Amino acid sequence: MQFATKVLHAGVHPDPETGAIMTPIYQTSTYVQRSPGDHDGYEYSRTHNPTRTQLQDNLAALENGNWGLCFSSGMGAIDTIAKLLKPGDEVISTNDLYGGSYRIFTKVFENYGIKFHFTDLGNAENFAKLINPNTKMVWMETPTNPMLTIIDIEAITKVAKANNILSVVDNTFASPYLQNPLDLGADLVMHSVTKYINGHSDVVMGAVVVRDELLYEKLAFLQNSCGAVPGPQDCFLVLRGIKTLHLRMERHCENGRKIAEFLRSHPKVDKVYWPGFTDHANHDIAKKQMKDFGGMMSFTLKSDSIADAHKFLSNTHLFSLAESLGGVESLCGHPASMTHASIPREERLKSGLVDSLIRLSVGIEDVNDLIEDINNAL
Ligand SMILES: *Cc1c(COP(=O)(O)O)cnc(C)c1O
C-alpha cells in the first residue's frame, strides 16, 4: 500500500457495530468482562483503548514498522524510551538536540546514573569515537532543531548495530511522509505527534514505532507501568489529522522551497539553513534519505542582534510567534529565547545557534502572502 492510501486506510476499520467509517471515540476507562479474564483484549484504558489501538496501528504502518505506541506527549514517549536504560548506561546524541530532549537527558536521567554525550552527529565519524562498552543507545534527530543539520541515519545505525547499540531517531521534523528511519536501520522511531502528524495545532501527543516484538513488549510494559497515555478524544483528532498528512506535507515542502530561496536573496538575511540547498553541508544525504526537504528552516540576520530578531518576530502578521511547529498555520520563533533557552549560550553557539537565529515553520497558506509577510517584517 502506498503512503497516501495508508494514511487513510492502514490500521483503521469501520465500527463493527454501526459501520461508522470514522473510528469512534471510546471514552471509557474500563470494559465489562463476561467472567474474570474473559474479554476481547480490553480491560482498562491505561493499558489499551480501541481508539488508541487504531491510531497506533496506523502509525506503525506509516513508519513501516510492526508496532506503534502512543503517549500523552512527545516527551512522554522520550521518557519511556529512556527508561529502557539502566544506571551506568551511556547514550550518544547530537549537539543541537530539541531543547526538551536535552533537558530530560541532562536534568532528569543523569540523576538516575545514565550518562549522555553530545557531539556533531552530522559528521558520522564522531559517533564511533565516543563508543565504549557502556554505550547502549544512540539518539538521533534529523533534520535537527533548529539548525537543520542532516544526520546520515544509515551510516550511524550500521555502526550502532555492530556495537549492539540501540538506535533511536526522533523523526518529528521530517514526519513519516519524508523519511522512514526503520527502513534505514533504526531500531526505534519516535515522534512528537503534536507537530506534523496531527498538524492542526490542537493536540499534544507522542508516538514510538518499532519492528522488533521484544522491544515492543518492553515499551508496552513501560507505557502501562508509567502511564503517560493519551486520551481517546486526542487519538480521534490525530486519526482525523493524519488523513491529509501527505497533502499537507506536499504543500509544506513546496512553500518551504520558495521561502528558503526568497530569504537567501534578501539583503538583510545572512545565513539560511534548509537542507534543500545544494550547498547545505549534508544535502546529498538529505536527498538520499528524505523524499523532499520540508517546511522547516532557520535564518540569521546580518546584524546578528537579538533586538532586530525580536523586531522581526513582532512585525509578522501571518507568521505567528509561537513555540511548536508542523501545523497548517505558519509559525516563527526565536530558539535562543524560546525552545532552546534551557541550553547554555556557549553550548548553543558551538552549533551555530546565534542570537539572531529565527526559526520558521512554514504552513500551507498561499506562499505569496507568506513571502510578503516576511518581506514587510524584514
Ligand atoms: C516538540 C518536540 C518534541 C517534544 O514533543 P511534545 O509533544 O512537545 O512533548 C520532541 N522532539 C522534537 C524534535 C520536537 O519538535
Side-chain angles (χ1 to χ4, degrees):
M1 216 189 272
Q2 298 301 307
F3 193 85
T5 312
K6 281 200 276 192
V7 294
L8 290 156
H9 296 290
V12 299
H13 46 79
D15 177 41
E17 196 149 311
T18 62
I21 195 159
M22 264 313 287
T23 309
I25 303 167
Y26 286 88
Q27 193 76 49
T28 186
S29 58
T30 192
Y31 307 82
V32 177
Q33 308 191 8
R34 289 175 286 268
S35 62
D38 180 12
H39 54 74
D40 300 323
Y42 293 97
E43 293 166 275
Y44 187 62
S45 275
R46 172 162 31 73
T47 324
H48 294 294
N49 175 281
T51 317
R52 193 172 100 209
T53 302
Q54 294 201 27
L55 173 59
Q56 292 182 157
D57 290 351
N58 183 268
L59 287 172
L62 296 190
E63 280 292 9
N64 300 329
N66 295 324
W67 313 92
L69 288 160
C70 288
F71 296 87
S72 53
S73 66
M75 292 318 301
I78 294 171
D79 178 64
T80 305
I81 295 170
K83 285 172 180 158
L84 292 168
L85 300 162
K86 294 190 177 62
D89 286 353
E90 299 190 13
V91 179
I92 297 171
S93 190
T94 195
N95 276 339
D96 56 334
L97 199 60
Y98 172 71
S101 306
Y102 181 82
R103 183 176 55 197
I104 196 172
F105 290 162
T106 58
K107 296 274 179 8
V108 180
F109 282 99
E110 289 220 338
N111 292 337
Y112 292 89
I114 297 159
K115 201 166 164 191
F116 293 86
H117 303 270
F118 300 94
T119 185
D120 173 19
L121 287 180
N123 178 354
E125 281 164 21
N126 290 336
F127 174 48
K129 286 183 207 154
L130 288 173
I131 296 176
N132 69 42
N134 295 326
T135 311
K136 293 290 154 61
M137 186 179 278
V138 55
W139 190 281
M140 290 168 260
E141 201 182 299
T142 178
T144 63
N145 177 19
M147 300 311 299
L148 284 300
T149 301
I150 299 292
I151 296 173
D152 189 337
I153 299 174
E154 214 163 9
I156 301 272
T157 57
K158 213 178 207 173
V159 177
K161 249 182 198 74
N163 290 277
N164 274 322
I165 296 168
L166 271 183
S167 48
V168 187
V169 175
D170 180 339
N171 204 26
T172 302
F173 257 46
S175 88
Y177 171 84
L178 290 178
Q179 175 175 284
N180 297 120
L182 299 180
D183 291 344
L184 301 164
D187 298 303
L188 297 93
V189 54
M190 65 91 20
H191 283 276
S192 167
V193 172
T194 313
K195 317 293 169 48
Y196 284 110
I197 291 179
N198 180 54
H200 292 73
S201 317
D202 49 12
V203 168
V204 171
M205 196 189 290
V208 181
V209 177
V210 296
R211 281 190 180 159
D212 181 69
E213 187 167 7
L214 196 64
L215 200 49
Y216 162 74
E217 278 168 7
K218 282 185 192 169
L219 289 164
F221 171 81
L222 287 167
Q223 181 192 45
N224 186 48
S225 304
C226 304
V229 294
Q233 175 107 24
D234 282 353
C235 293
F236 168 85
L237 285 169
V238 174
L239 277 167
R240 185 167 71 165
I242 267 184
K243 292 179 195 297
T244 55
L245 178 60
H246 56 307
L247 299 175
R248 288 184 279 110
M249 289 311 296
E250 270 172 34
R251 183 60 65 87
H252 284 299
C253 292
E254 201 180 301
N255 286 358
R257 172 180 300 281
K258 289 185 181 149
I259 288 174
E261 280 163 4
F262 168 78
L263 282 169
R264 203 169 221 201
S265 69
H266 198 284
K268 285 196 182 154
V269 172
D270 188 16
K271 294 196 173 74
V272 184
Y273 297 95
W274 182 66
F277 289 132
T278 52
D279 58 358
H280 178 286
N282 280 349
H283 173 73
D284 290 343
I285 296 163
K287 215 167 141 180
K288 188 181 71 177
Q289 69 189 17
M290 297 170 77
K291 188 173 182 168
D292 204 339
F293 304 106
M296 293 304 302
M297 66 194 66
S298 295
F299 66 98
T300 62
L301 300 173
K302 286 216 171 111
S303 65
D304 195 35
S305 106
I306 290 197
D308 286 346
H310 282 187
K311 210 162 107 193
F312 172 87
L313 295 162
S314 10
N315 284 345
T316 54
H317 297 290
L318 291 176
F319 279 87
S320 303
L321 174 59
E323 306 246 0
S324 200
L325 62 106
V328 288
E329 311 87 355
S330 290
L331 300 181
C332 56
H334 186 238
S337 45
M338 297 166 70
T339 46
H340 291 64
S342 55
I343 299 180
R345 186 167 186 269
E346 319 78 71
E347 212 43 54
R348 66 171 164 83
L349 287 182
K350 272 192 230 164
S351 54
L353 207 167
V354 299
D355 291 343
S356 73
L357 189 95
I358 291 164
R359 192 190 77 181
L360 300 181
S361 170
V362 175
I364 63 169
E365 299 93 337
D366 185 286
V367 73
N368 294 318
D369 288 335
L370 295 179
I371 288 176
E372 190 183 316
D373 193 39
I374 293 172
N375 197 33
N376 290 340
L378 279 169

